């Protein structure tokens, strides 16, 4: 199963899902749907014992295609959020087999969402991360839920509200990454780890992973539903639309506080 937006392949019990929307894998509705379909295919295939999500390009994922929220009514924005926030969480929660994000480039905003949905994140040491939403008049609402849980309140606030990128060493120190490896080797290392995971008993892995997901869920679904409401509300403000337009037009935004 492959299409123009993801490359899907299976070898030795490992499914590889490569995001393939040039040049930076900006998240469109079609790309999210293709990713969700690929994950569902891997979930339903008994021969698949582990899953890797990576990129066919230098950038892992630059985040939302701004056309999703620029000039759009809240109901359309919520349709996207239901896929990125809810459906992605649901399929990962029920996957029953381990998933690994392999990053060797930039991951931003919605790209962080995809990476953090996985059980492990392996990154090349030249990779960069960030939540730039605040600089275009948006809020990284989903990350308000999971980033403090992963790294703590005080580690999370700066990246979320300054919007500045940070390197792999910082991400590892914060607790965002499982491993940092030399540039260009993240996918190879992910394959190595996936082979070890795939060698385990599939039924024991499923029961164990299901138990693990229940243990770390901590009412996550309700929290991200609240986050989606906040994101959709912000997207309809004048300041958000001004920020998005300014970014596209390469000028300084003129925020008015409404």
């Amino acid at each position: 199963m492959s299409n123009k937006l993801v490359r899907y392949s299976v070898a030795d019990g490992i499914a590889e899902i490569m995001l393939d929307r040039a040049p930076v894998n900006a998240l469109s509705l079609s790309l999210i749907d293709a990713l969700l379909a690929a994950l569902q295919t891997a979930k339903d295939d008994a021969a698949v014992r582990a899953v890797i999500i990576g990129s066919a390009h230098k950038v892992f994922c630059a985040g939302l295609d701004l056309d999703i929220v620029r000039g759009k009514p809240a109901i359309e924005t919520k349709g996207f959020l239901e896929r990125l926030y809810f459906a992605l969480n649901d399929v990962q929660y029920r996957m029953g087999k381990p998933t690994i994000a392999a990053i060797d480039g930039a991951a931003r905003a919605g790209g962080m969402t995809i990476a953090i949905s996985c059980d492990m994140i392996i990154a090349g040491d030249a990779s960069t991360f960030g939540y730039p939403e605040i600089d275009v008049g948006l809020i990284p609402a989903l990350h308000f839920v999971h980033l403090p849980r992963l790294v703590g309140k005080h580690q999370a606030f700066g990246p979320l509200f300054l919007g500045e990128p940070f390197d792999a060493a910082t991400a590892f120190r914060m607790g965002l990454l499982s491993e940092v490896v030399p540039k260009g080797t993240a996918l190879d290392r992910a394959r190595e780890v996936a082979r070890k995971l795939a060698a385990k008993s599939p039924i024991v892995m499923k029961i164990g992973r299901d138990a693990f997901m229940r243990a770390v869920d901590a009412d996550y679904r309700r929290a991200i539903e609240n986050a989606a409401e906040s994101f959709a509300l912000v997207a309809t403000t004048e300041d958000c639309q001004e920020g998005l337009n300014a970014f596209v037009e390469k000028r300084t935004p003129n925020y008015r506080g409404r």
Side-chain angles (χ1 to χ4, degrees):
M1 187 205 93
S2 292
N3 63 28
K4 295 179 179 179
L5 297 174
V6 299
R7 301 180 189 176
Y8 182 91
S9 61
V10 179
D12 300 323
I14 300 166
E16 292 188 5
I17 301 169
M18 298 292 134
L19 306 178
D20 191 13
R21 187 182 184 219
V24 295
N25 292 324
L27 293 176
S28 63
L29 289 172
S30 297
L31 177 53
I32 284 293
D33 283 344
L35 172 61
L36 292 173
L39 286 167
Q40 188 66 46
T41 297
K43 174 183 178 296
D44 293 341
D45 186 350
V48 170
R49 303 287 185 85
V51 181
I52 296 171
I53 300 178
S55 172
H57 305 282
K58 291 182 178 179
V59 171
F60 177 75
C61 177
L64 301 188
D65 184 328
L66 296 184
D67 286 343
I68 289 171
V69 292
R70 188 173 174 229
K72 297 295 193 301
I75 191 67
E76 288 190 29
T77 300
K78 286 195 69 175
F80 172 80
L81 297 180
E82 286 174 357
R83 291 170 171 84
L84 181 61
Y85 284 16
F86 307 154
L88 180 61
N89 176 67
D90 289 349
V91 71
Q92 286 277 31
Y93 188 89
R94 301 293 181 189
M95 179 64 66
K97 54 197 75 173
T99 60
I100 305 170
I103 300 176
D104 246 321
R108 300 287 189 274
M112 299 292 288
T113 303
I114 293 172
I116 290 172
S117 75
C118 295
D119 301 320
M120 299 180 69
I121 305 175
I122 297 174
D125 57 15
S127 300
T128 60
F129 306 87
Y131 305 90
E133 291 95 328
I134 196 78
D135 290 333
V136 293
L138 285 166
I139 56 172
L142 176 63
H143 305 283
F144 292 169
V145 177
H146 59 53
L147 191 61
R149 298 184 185 194
L150 292 172
V151 307
K153 171 185 172 182
H154 297 110
Q155 286 288 319
F157 192 89
L160 294 174
F161 285 93
L162 290 173
E164 297 172 349
F166 49 96
D167 60 19
T170 301
F172 183 77
R173 175 182 56 77
M174 292 168 63
L176 272 176
L177 304 180
S178 306
E179 294 184 31
V180 177
V181 296
K183 178 182 178 180
T185 67
L187 183 56
D188 288 340
R189 176 57 180 160
R191 287 168 174 161
E192 181 183 351
V193 173
R195 284 193 294 270
K196 292 179 179 179
L197 293 168
K200 313 298 183 186
S201 161
I203 186 61
V204 172
M205 178 64 74
K206 181 182 186 320
I207 293 171
R209 187 182 183 276
D210 287 351
F212 180 84
M213 296 303 283
R214 289 193 300 271
V216 302
D217 180 68
D219 204 22
Y220 184 80
R221 177 55 185 259
R222 186 170 66 179
I224 61 172
E225 287 178 350
N226 291 335
E229 291 289 339
S230 298
F231 185 100
L233 176 62
V234 167
T236 63
T237 65
E238 290 183 19
D239 272 6
C240 174
Q241 294 302 315
E242 167 61 13
L244 295 171
N245 290 332
F247 179 82
V248 171
E249 296 163 10
K250 295 180 169 50
R251 60 176 174 82
T252 301
N254 180 26
Y255 294 129
R256 300 176 182 272
R258 61 178 185 266

